């Protein structure tokens, strides 16, 4: 498997500076975003200048000054990666001061540049540095906003929107930084897995060399010596016994070699996952003298790569501990496929040795296994069993962890909830232009509770995305069909809180379980806008306008929610798929090396040693079956075939040696 992706040390480590973002000069790619910002900044200013409502330049000199300000701010953004804190302070101070001087306080030139600067600071800095920069930029920007605000209500709305937006950009930048750090970590683990790949191959070569020597080396040597010696003695009875011994020994060697071939032959039908990885692991431990049984309960299914890796490592560490601290004790390995997860249990009994006392280890192995399990949201228990042995039991969930781990993703969820409640409330009730004037306290409180009920499920959107989407869509449809049919403001408030549905659609695309189709999400969410626009059309133009309103609303909804779904799929494709592929590679790398070495031995045995051994067995059996046969000549032929088989085996052992070095000692000693 080939893993493609740009892995650089620029991800850094959590809490520290990004390696590529602390020093140096801008790269060519750093010019891209500033160049893309210029057209929308000046275009929005031009559109706003068509209305007398906004403070924008009206004269040629003012426009020249605005263009220069935009170019300067965007030019500063070129350094956003290498000097993020200096860039954010330059943008917020220089931008707001420049807008005040040229009387263009309503132009969003500063806002767009500030958003990019805040995101860049968070993406290339540690947590507290990013928060400090965001807070400083917020204070400066809102101080300048207060100078142009039309009353306290207008300023409150601006402050609320800016606070949520800047905090969201900081959270997204930190998530971006964490993903880069994760990719850098996986790149290091892949490199370590490559070393493990070579180590596993060398270990398997040595093990197979020892097995071949134990299975065939001594027996073939005995046949050669015994048959050659008896062939020179004119004693028919002794020749018969020598032929019988050679035939019996040859059959034993054949049976042992066939078993060895059957054990090492790779079975391509096993597929991937635990059913393919665990049997070779258990067989390797069994051949070292520890009796191991493996049971798989439940319907085997494809598991996420992190779960496969964790389960394999738990079994591997438990078997190693059983060999080390309970030598000779029987070990039972059980894998249970259960709803929502997989359970792995390894139990070893007490060796039948009088006075046996389990040795104590360092505890690092158990700590490592528990860390793997808890990282996935699972549990691991290790301790004495009822029969006096030792039991390790891990429960690994295949879906989302049961408990929430608070971090930047939770900040994004909280911002979505706050925005979905706070913005409609401010627009509905805060002067100078509330869309619901004259509402009393209790009616306003009831409206806030309704919007809170609509938004709170977003807190669980990463864990049950389709349920959150269904709830939000159903709420909007019901709201449009009831309250939305009475006043236009009631449906307008749903549009203001539209990020609720955007967040739900994105969550389905990015967090739905593997195998669950996500493409219906934007089509489901569009039903809410169909109901909203349809209710407005029916309210304004009567029932005949309802079908046209429904169709128009549905199409607008698709145009609005499809991009959210596309972005979610892009994130999971670029990030999660690469990580899963890397984890699968690490889980399978050592197994591939072991299988390759076994396949080499299999082909060598089948082509040479097995054939030679079978020949001298047939010669001995034929000589014993024919009373007129020359048994001395048969013994000579038996010795020749046995010697050829032994030479072929030594040649195979020589082929297993990778070359001069420390790793060749075992095979070299066996071959000699």
């Amino acid at each position: 498997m080939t893993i493609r992706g740009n892995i650089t040390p620029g991800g850094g480590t959590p809490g520290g500076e990004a390696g590529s973002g602390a020093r140096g000069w801008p790269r060519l790619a750093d010019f891209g975003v500033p160049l893309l910002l210029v057209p929308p900044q000046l275009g929005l200013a031009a559109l706003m200048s068509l209305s007398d409502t906004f403070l924008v330049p009206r004269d040629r000199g003012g426009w020249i000054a605005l263009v220069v300000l935009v170019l300067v701010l965007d030019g500063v953004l070129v350094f956003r990666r290498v000097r993020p804190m200096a860039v954010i302070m330059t943008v917020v101070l220089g931008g707001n001061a420049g807008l005040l001087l040229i009387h263009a306080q309503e132009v969003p030139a500063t806002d767009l540049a500030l958003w990019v600067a805040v995101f860049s600071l968070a993406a290339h800095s540690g947590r507290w540095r990013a928060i400090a920069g965001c807070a400083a930029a917020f204070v400066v920007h809102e101080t300048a906003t207060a100078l142009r605000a039309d009353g306290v209500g207008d300023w409150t709305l601006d402050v609320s929107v800016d606070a949520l937006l800047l905090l969201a950009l900081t959270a997204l930048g930190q998530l971006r930084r964490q993903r880069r750090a994760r990719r850098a970590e996986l790149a290091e683990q892949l490199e370590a897995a490559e070393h493990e790949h070579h180590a596993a191959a060398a270990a398997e070569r040595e093990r197979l060399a020892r097995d071949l020597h134990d299975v065939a080396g001594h027996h073939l040597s005995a046949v050669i010596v015994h048959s050659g010696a008896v062939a020179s003695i004119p004693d028919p009875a002794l020749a018969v016994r020598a032929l019988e011994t050679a035939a019996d020994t040859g059959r034993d060697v054949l049976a042992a070699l066939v078993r060895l071939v059957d054990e090492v032959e790779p079975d391509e039908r096993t597929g991937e996952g635990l059913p393919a990885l665990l049997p070779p692991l258990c067989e390797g431990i069994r051949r070292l003298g520890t009796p191991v049984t493996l049971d798989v309960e439940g319907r085997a299914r494809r598991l996420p790569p992190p779960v496969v890796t964790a389960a394999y490592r738990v079994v591997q560490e438990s078997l190693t501990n059983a060999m080390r601290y309970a030598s000779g004790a029987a070990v039972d390995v059980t894998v249970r496929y259960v709803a929502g997860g997989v359970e792995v249990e390894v139990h070893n009994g007490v060796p039948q040795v009088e006075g046996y006392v389990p040795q104590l280890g360092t505890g690092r192995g158990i700590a490592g296994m528990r860390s793997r399990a808890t990282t996935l949201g699972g549990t691991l228990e290790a301790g004495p069993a009822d029969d006096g042995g030792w039991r390790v039991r891990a429960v690994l969930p295949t879906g989302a962890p049961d408990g929430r781990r608070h971090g930047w993703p939770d900040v994004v969820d909280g911002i979505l909830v706050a925005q979905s409640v706070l913005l409609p409330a401010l627009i509905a009730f805060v002067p100078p232009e509330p869309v619901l004037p004259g509402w009393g306290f209790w009616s306003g409180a009831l409206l806030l509770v309704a919007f809170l009920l609509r938004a709170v499920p977003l807190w669980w959107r990463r864990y049950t995305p389709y349920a959150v989407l269904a709830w939000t869509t159903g709420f909007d449809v019901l709201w449009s069909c009831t309250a939305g049919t009475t006043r236009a403001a009631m449906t307008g408030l749903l549009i203001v809180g539209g990020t609720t549905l955007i967040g739900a659609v994105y969550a389905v695309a990015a967090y739905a379980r593997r195998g669950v189709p996500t493409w219906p999400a934007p089509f489901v969410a569009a039903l809410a806008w169909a109901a909203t626009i349809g209710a407005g059309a029916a309210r304004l133009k009567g029932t005949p306008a309802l079908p046209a309103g429904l169709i128009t609303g549905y199409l607008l909804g698709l145009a609005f929610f499809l991009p959210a779904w596309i972005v979610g799929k892009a994130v999971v494709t670029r990030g999660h798929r690469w990580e899963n592929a890397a984890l699968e590679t690490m889980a399978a790398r050592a197994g591939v090396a072991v299988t390759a070495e076994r396949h080499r031995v299999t082909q060598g045995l089948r082509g040479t040693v097995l054939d030679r051994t079978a020949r001298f067995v047939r010669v001995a059996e034929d000589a014993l079956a024919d009373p007129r046969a020359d048994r001395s000549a048969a013994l000579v032929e038996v010795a020749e075939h046995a010697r050829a088989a032994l030479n072929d085996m030594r040649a195979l052992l020589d082929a297993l040696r990778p070359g001069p070095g420390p790793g060749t000692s075992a095979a070299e000693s066996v071959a000699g």
Side-chain angles (χ1 to χ4, degrees):
M1 181 182 298
T2 301
I3 306 299
R4 292 183 174 88
N6 295 323
I7 307 297
T8 65
T13 57
E17 290 298 323
S20 64
R23 297 290 184 269
W25 288 91
R27 298 174 298 191
L28 184 61
D30 294 329
F31 289 83
V33 171
L35 290 175
L36 292 176
L37 283 181
V38 174
Q41 286 173 312
L42 297 180
L44 286 173
L47 289 175
M48 296 172 71
S49 66
L50 300 177
S51 173
D52 294 333
T53 306
F54 303 102
L55 293 174
V56 294
R58 307 292 176 181
D59 59 313
R60 182 179 179 182
W63 267 100
I64 293 176
L66 178 61
V67 171
V68 172
L69 177 63
V70 168
L71 294 177
V72 169
L73 292 178
D74 292 344
V76 170
L77 289 178
V78 172
F79 296 87
R80 68 191 183 280
R81 181 181 58 86
V82 296
R83 293 291 185 272
M85 182 62 78
V87 166
I88 194 174
M89 298 312 300
T90 301
V91 168
V92 71
L93 289 171
N96 282 286
L99 291 179
L100 289 173
L101 290 175
I102 63 175
H103 305 289
Q105 292 94 320
E106 300 290 349
V107 178
T110 301
D111 294 341
L112 294 178
L114 178 61
W115 298 344
V116 174
V118 170
F119 178 85
S120 299
L121 175 67
H124 298 287
S125 301
R127 176 186 304 172
W128 297 114
R129 184 178 175 86
I131 293 175
C134 176
F138 174 77
V139 171
V140 173
H141 187 64
E142 299 316 315
T143 301
T145 302
L147 300 177
R148 65 173 185 265
D150 186 12
V152 176
D154 185 49
W155 183 74
T156 302
L157 181 60
D158 287 342
V159 168
S160 301
V161 173
D162 289 340
L164 292 175
L165 183 57
L166 294 182
L167 185 57
L169 289 169
T170 301
L172 293 175
Q174 284 285 289
L175 289 175
R176 167 66 176 167
R177 182 172 178 274
Q178 290 175 1
R179 283 195 294 268
R180 291 169 60 227
R182 172 63 172 162
R183 289 172 72 104
E185 178 185 356
L186 285 177
E188 294 177 357
Q189 293 178 7
L190 278 173
E191 184 177 356
E194 185 65 28
H195 294 296
E196 183 180 353
H197 165 83
H198 295 296
E204 188 65 10
R205 280 193 299 269
E206 293 193 8
R207 186 187 72 81
L208 290 171
R210 287 192 297 268
D211 288 347
L212 283 174
H213 181 268
D214 295 340
V215 167
H218 293 301
H219 293 79
L220 292 175
S221 298
V223 169
I224 295 170
V225 174
H226 189 242
S227 299
V230 175
S232 61
I233 301 175
D235 186 342
L238 187 60
V240 170
R241 288 196 298 271
L243 288 172
E244 290 175 347
T245 300
D248 292 340
T249 303
R251 282 190 290 267
D252 290 342
V253 171
L254 279 176
L257 290 178
V258 168
R259 284 196 301 270
L260 182 61
V261 170
D262 290 340
E263 290 169 2
V264 303
E265 178 68 17
D267 185 357
E268 297 180 357
R269 297 172 300 172
T270 55
E272 299 178 356
L274 294 178
L277 294 173
L278 293 182
L281 175 64
C282 295
E283 181 58 30
I285 301 298
R286 188 182 299 115
R287 293 181 63 82
L288 294 176
T290 299
V292 181
T293 59
L294 173 63
D295 294 321
V296 178
E297 301 177 2
R299 183 181 178 183
R301 61 184 184 274
R302 184 177 178 86
L303 302 174
V307 176
V308 174
T309 302
Y312 181 85
R313 296 306 183 193
V314 167
V315 175
Q316 184 182 51
E317 181 67 25
S318 300
L319 290 176
T320 302
N321 289 341
M323 284 195 307
R324 183 179 302 165
Y325 305 124
S327 179
V331 182
D332 297 321
V333 179
T334 304
V335 178
R336 301 184 185 92
Y337 288 88
V338 297
V342 63
E343 298 178 2
V344 177
E345 183 174 316
V346 181
H347 169 255
N348 64 267
V350 179
Q352 300 301 316
V353 179
E354 186 176 354
Y356 167 78
V357 178
Q359 303 179 40
L360 297 179
T362 63
R364 294 177 182 175
I366 294 176
M369 291 188 291
R370 182 171 288 113
S371 176
R372 288 181 181 273
T374 54
T375 298
L376 297 173
T379 60
L380 184 134
E381 301 173 356
D386 295 337
D387 60 358
W390 190 266
R391 175 179 284 106
V392 176
R393 180 175 179 269
V395 179
L396 306 173
T398 55
D402 293 335
R404 295 179 66 97
R405 292 177 186 78
H406 298 290
W408 289 111
D410 298 277
V411 173
V412 175
D413 294 341
I415 291 171
L416 284 174
V417 173
Q419 183 272 339
S420 300
V421 177
L422 185 60
L423 291 188
L426 291 174
I427 292 175
F429 303 118
V430 174
E433 298 179 355
V435 299
L436 295 177
W439 277 48
F441 174 81
W442 291 111
S443 58
L446 185 62
L447 183 68
L448 290 180
V449 169
F451 274 94
L452 188 64
L453 290 175
R454 174 182 183 245
V456 163
L458 286 173
W459 186 254
W460 293 275
R461 70 191 182 99
R462 288 178 287 121
Y463 302 90
T464 56
Y466 258 121
V468 172
L469 176 64
W471 168 266
T472 307
T473 303
F475 184 98
D476 285 12
V477 170
L478 181 62
W479 182 276
S480 299
C481 295
T482 53
T485 59
T486 59
R487 300 184 63 175
M490 304 302 285
T491 54
L493 293 177
L494 290 181
I495 303 298
V496 171
T499 50
T500 306
L501 276 171
I502 293 177
V505 171
Y506 176 91
V508 171
Y511 304 117
R513 289 185 178 182
R514 181 182 297 185
V516 177
T518 63
W519 61 265
F523 296 91
V524 172
L527 295 173
W529 276 38
T532 301
I533 303 299
R539 184 181 60 254
L540 295 175
K541 299 183 179 181
T543 304
L546 179 60
L550 292 174
I551 295 174
T552 302
Y554 192 81
L555 294 177
L556 288 175
L558 280 181
F560 201 69
F561 298 122
L562 273 174
W565 178 82
I566 292 172
V567 171
K569 291 300 292 183
V571 168
V572 74
T573 299
R574 290 190 58 190
H576 300 171
R577 182 178 295 177
W578 187 93
E579 291 185 8
N580 289 342
L583 291 169
E584 285 180 349
T585 299
M586 287 185 286
R589 185 65 62 86
V592 169
V594 169
T595 300
E597 295 302 324
R598 293 174 177 177
H599 189 67
R600 290 175 59 194
V601 173
T602 298
Q603 297 304 316
L605 288 175
R606 285 183 169 175
T608 56
V609 181
L610 285 173
D611 181 64
R612 298 286 190 179
T613 305
R615 287 183 184 182
F616 81 70
V617 170
R618 286 197 298 269
V619 169
E621 291 175 342
D622 292 343
L624 289 171
D626 186 359
R628 296 172 298 178
D630 186 348
R631 286 166 178 166
S632 296
L635 285 172
V636 173
E637 188 176 355
V638 165
E640 290 177 353
H641 285 306
R643 185 176 293 106
L646 184 61
N647 289 334
D648 289 341
M649 189 192 73
R650 286 175 173 172
L652 177 60
L653 292 175
D654 288 337
L656 289 176
R657 291 183 297 178
T664 66
S665 57
E668 187 175 7
S669 63
V670 174

